Amino acid sequence: MKKTILENRMKHIFCTVETPKKSNAKYNYEPESGGFVLAKYLPLGSVFPYDFGFIPGTVGEDGAPLDVIIISEQGTFPGCILKCKVIGAIKAVQQSKDGVQVENDRFLVVPEASSIFGNIHRVAQLSDTVLDELQHFFINYNKQEGKDFQPLKILSAKDACKTIEKAKSNCQPIKKIEVFIPLYDKEGNRFSDHLYQSVSKQLIKNFGGITAYIRSPAVGIWENSDGMQIKDDHVIYEIMVSEIDHSYWKQFKKKLELQFAQKELIIRQSEIGLI
């Protein structure tokens, strides 16, 4: 049952377009500049057959986000983000000029908004012409750069989703979430340990692991309207993630405020770097 839920969730992902369909220019997203940089022009008469981009929050064997081909009747623009359905992938290896060979798959997706391709759920539903066109395009595209691109086989939607999930786990967490929960209620009574155990279990289930500062609680000091200083002991739960689902955290915060009878709890986020 859990496996089925995971597969269904993974079949729909967000993709970022770098180079639009029918473009003669190749664009690359540059995180440092925060924009899309013109990388090169293709030879005259050569254009991208479909929108080409990447899957955010993934790291492939070459150290870059996974490449994605967005099969649709319309082209978009650099930076466009599309919710897409995974239908398969072209498994391939790429050899550079210096002979280094890495896995460099091309994942095949269809935008949810597509009216012509919306009924396609697996790569087998695509015509052989589309697959041949895509494979020949990337073979020739890499050949122009002195690289050897070798398609190996076509992956099913299920296998493509597994590969994407693995690439997501390879992506280093870059954001830290901290959840502050008080130890005592308004009357000074300590909350039940069962409540904290419940919070820990839910966060571990959803994110795979946490750091909980329970035995050495943080002490918060604040001043009320009468000018009196009040101390608050808090348990802090720390989670590292690559992407923040704001809707999830808003709902989680409301749930905790009800459980611990608090007018407002603090959940904060911050950027971090790993060594």
Side-chain angles (χ1 to χ4, degrees):
M1 184 66 177
K2 288 183 178 179
K3 184 178 179 181
T4 303
I5 292 172
L6 173 62
E7 289 170 0
N8 289 337
R9 177 173 64 83
M10 279 300 302
K11 283 184 180 178
H12 291 86
I13 59 173
F14 286 98
C15 302
T16 300
V17 176
E18 286 182 308
T19 303
K21 179 179 182 178
K22 296 184 179 179
S23 173
N24 175 254
K26 172 68 168 69
Y27 300 94
N28 292 334
Y29 175 65
E30 296 290 348
E32 293 180 1
S33 66
F36 294 80
V37 178
L38 174 63
K40 65 176 182 177
Y41 289 105
L42 276 62
L44 193 63
S46 180
V47 297
F48 278 78
Y50 296 98
D51 280 355
F52 180 74
F54 62 91
I55 304 173
T58 61
V59 174
E61 188 177 313
D62 60 354
L66 298 179
D67 294 322
V68 66
I69 302 165
I70 303 166
I71 299 172
S72 181
E73 63 271 29
Q74 296 281 346
T76 57
F77 54 88
C80 183
I81 298 175
L82 302 171
K83 187 176 183 181
C84 298
K85 173 174 49 182
V86 180
I87 63 170
I90 300 172
K91 189 170 183 62
V93 292
Q94 181 175 292
Q95 185 169 303
S96 61
K97 295 178 183 178
D98 55 8
V100 177
Q101 184 171 285
V102 295
E103 187 174 311
N104 203 345
D105 304 335
R106 299 290 188 266
F107 291 84
L108 307 175
V109 302
V110 172
E112 263 198 351
S114 175
S115 56
I116 293 179
F117 294 90
N119 291 326
I120 293 180
H121 300 280
R122 56 187 185 278
V123 71
Q125 292 176 274
L126 292 176
S127 68
D128 292 338
T129 303
V130 170
L131 291 174
D132 288 342
E133 178 187 23
L134 287 172
Q135 292 181 79
H136 283 110
F137 171 79
F138 285 106
I139 289 172
N140 293 328
Y141 173 85
N142 283 277
K143 189 175 182 180
Q144 292 159 11
E145 294 188 332
K147 299 176 183 178
D148 182 29
F149 182 84
Q150 298 179 24
L152 301 177
K153 64 179 180 178
I154 303 298
L155 298 181
S156 66
K158 180 180 178 181
D159 288 339
C161 287
K162 287 181 180 178
T163 304
I164 293 171
E165 184 69 13
K166 181 181 177 181
K168 282 182 176 288
S169 67
N170 291 338
C171 188
Q172 289 186 331
I174 55 172
K175 294 179 176 64
K176 179 171 68 174
I177 304 289
E178 292 172 295
V179 181
F180 291 77
I181 301 178
L183 275 175
Y184 304 97
D185 62 20
K186 293 178 181 179
E187 284 71 41
N189 300 312
R190 188 183 177 102
F191 289 108
S192 168
D193 288 341
H194 174 74
L195 288 174
Y196 300 103
Q197 291 169 5
S198 176
V199 173
S200 296
K201 286 180 180 179
Q202 182 172 346
L203 291 174
I204 292 171
K205 178 182 178 181
N206 291 340
F207 299 98
I210 61 170
T211 300
Y213 299 91
I214 297 176
R215 297 187 182 277
S216 301
V219 178
I221 302 175
W222 54 280
E223 195 173 89
N224 65 13
S225 57
D226 297 325
M228 295 178 59
Q229 285 191 349
I230 299 176
K231 291 185 179 181
D232 249 341
D233 290 344
H234 289 86
V235 171
I236 301 177
Y237 295 92
E238 187 179 281
I239 306 99
M240 290 192 293
V241 295
S242 57
E243 296 179 6
I244 295 178
D245 185 341
H246 291 280
S247 61
Y248 169 86
W249 289 108
K250 285 179 181 179
Q251 293 176 13
F252 187 62
K253 181 180 177 181
K254 288 181 180 178
K255 178 182 176 181
L256 291 179
E257 287 170 347
L258 288 173
Q259 283 182 326
F260 292 89
Q262 298 294 306
K263 186 176 181 181
E264 186 174 12
L265 286 175
I266 295 176
I267 297 181
R268 70 183 181 189
Q269 67 179 65
S270 57
E271 299 287 333
I272 62 171
L274 299 180
I275 297 175

